[in-house]
Amino acid sequence: MKLMSNTPLAERLRPTSFGEIAGQEHLISSRGVISRMMLAGRVSNMIFYGPPGTGKTTVANIIAKNSGMQLFKLNATTASLSDVKEIISSADGLFSQSGILLYLDEIQYFNKKQQQSLLEYIEDGRVTFIASTTENPYFYIYDALISRCSVFEFKPVSYKSIVPVLRRALDCLNEENKKDKIANDDALEFLASCAHGDVRHALTLFEGAYYASDDEITIEKLHNV
């Protein structure tokens, strides 16, 4: 029996360029504000907010890659100030040559004191800071931190934009499993709609449908799963 990859499908299909991202055209299209910032060679401190599965982490990855900075990721649900300080300490090492980008996910779980402690590192330029949150930052993030960052809203992705992602997922799973399964448009649109704007969730739904189906994924079969 062929062992399936332990890496989630959404991670295996994570975009590596802005052009591969579903949705967020207002931010990362050729006329989007983040794209224009990157083109100008200017990466500022940023706060991304919006629902899960809308591309916040992916955009941070691409910014780091294209800026040449060393990316460090922390999740505020498990990280502490000591983790932040450990990363900052590396600024005096080899990584400082290209700069450090600190990506802090779920920043709303840092309390006010923890958020305040980030200010000195942002103000003296030791790191470029990107935070993300699923909550309204104006209610959950310290005002002084917001005032030092550009705030960008990530919107739920339309089902029409998710469908091409599911087609790429079909090709990926077929290649991995040496299968030739097909999926009709109605089935893909149904799965994309069920995700309610969350691309990651859409991929999870699709992966389940793929392995539960025979040679064809149809909306009739999905209703019976």
Side-chain angles (χ1 to χ4, degrees):
M1 179 181 294
K2 181 182 181 296
L3 293 176
M4 293 184 291
S5 171
N6 289 326
T7 305
L9 179 61
E11 188 63 33
R12 305 202 300 277
L13 292 176
R14 186 180 293 278
T16 58
S17 68
F18 288 156
E20 297 174 354
I21 295 177
Q24 315 316 328
E25 289 85 358
H26 62 298
L27 299 177
I28 48 85
S29 70
S30 60
R31 298 177 61 85
V33 60
I34 293 179
S35 294
R36 287 187 278 115
M37 289 171 61
M38 294 296 297
L39 188 62
R42 175 62 179 170
V43 180
S44 64
N45 301 303
M46 309 180 204
I47 295 172
F48 298 160
Y49 80 98
T54 53
K56 299 184 293 296
T57 301
T58 297
V59 170
N61 287 341
I62 294 171
I63 289 173
K65 175 185 174 183
N66 286 285
S67 67
M69 289 186 285
Q70 180 72 22
L71 176 64
F72 291 88
K73 298 180 186 177
L74 292 175
N75 189 299
T77 60
T78 56
S80 65
L81 285 179
S82 62
D83 296 314
V84 174
K85 291 176 180 178
E86 183 177 348
I87 289 172
I88 300 305
S89 68
S90 68
D92 295 325
L94 294 175
F95 293 135
S96 62
Q97 295 176 3
S98 58
I100 287 178
L101 192 155
L102 173 61
Y103 177 67
L104 181 61
D105 194 14
E106 303 290 359
I107 189 176
Q108 72 270 18
Y109 288 102
F110 262 22
N111 60 37
K112 184 176 180 179
K113 183 178 179 180
Q114 289 174 310
Q115 291 184 28
Q116 284 177 316
S117 71
L118 297 170
L119 292 177
E120 64 174 292
Y121 306 124
I122 293 173
E123 290 181 333
D124 65 17
R126 275 182 281 176
V127 299
T128 298
F129 179 71
I130 297 180
S132 67
T133 176
T134 55
E135 306 293 342
N136 187 326
Y138 297 101
F139 292 123
Y140 287 89
I141 299 179
Y142 183 46
D143 288 345
L145 190 55
I146 286 182
S147 72
R148 290 161 175 80
C149 299
S150 300
V151 180
F152 298 114
E153 180 183 6
F154 282 62
K155 301 176 181 178
V157 182
S158 71
Y159 79 91
K160 290 184 179 180
S161 294
I162 293 177
V163 167
V165 179
L166 300 186
R167 291 204 175 280
R168 291 198 296 273
L170 176 62
D171 292 339
C172 174
L173 292 175
N174 274 338
E175 182 178 355
E176 290 177 350
N177 293 278
K178 300 188 180 343
K179 301 286 187 180
D180 292 307
K181 293 186 181 184
I182 60 175
N184 63 36
D185 290 341
D186 287 345
L188 294 180
E189 290 180 4
F190 173 74
L191 289 169
S193 298
C194 287
H196 303 292
D198 182 334
V199 178
R200 182 169 52 241
H201 185 44
L203 287 169
T204 299
L205 293 174
F206 178 80
E207 187 170 23
Y210 180 91
Y211 287 110
S213 71
D214 43 26
D215 291 336
E216 183 177 11
I217 303 170
T218 67
I219 194 166
E220 292 79 15
K221 293 176 182 177
L222 291 175
H223 286 311
N224 293 325
V225 171

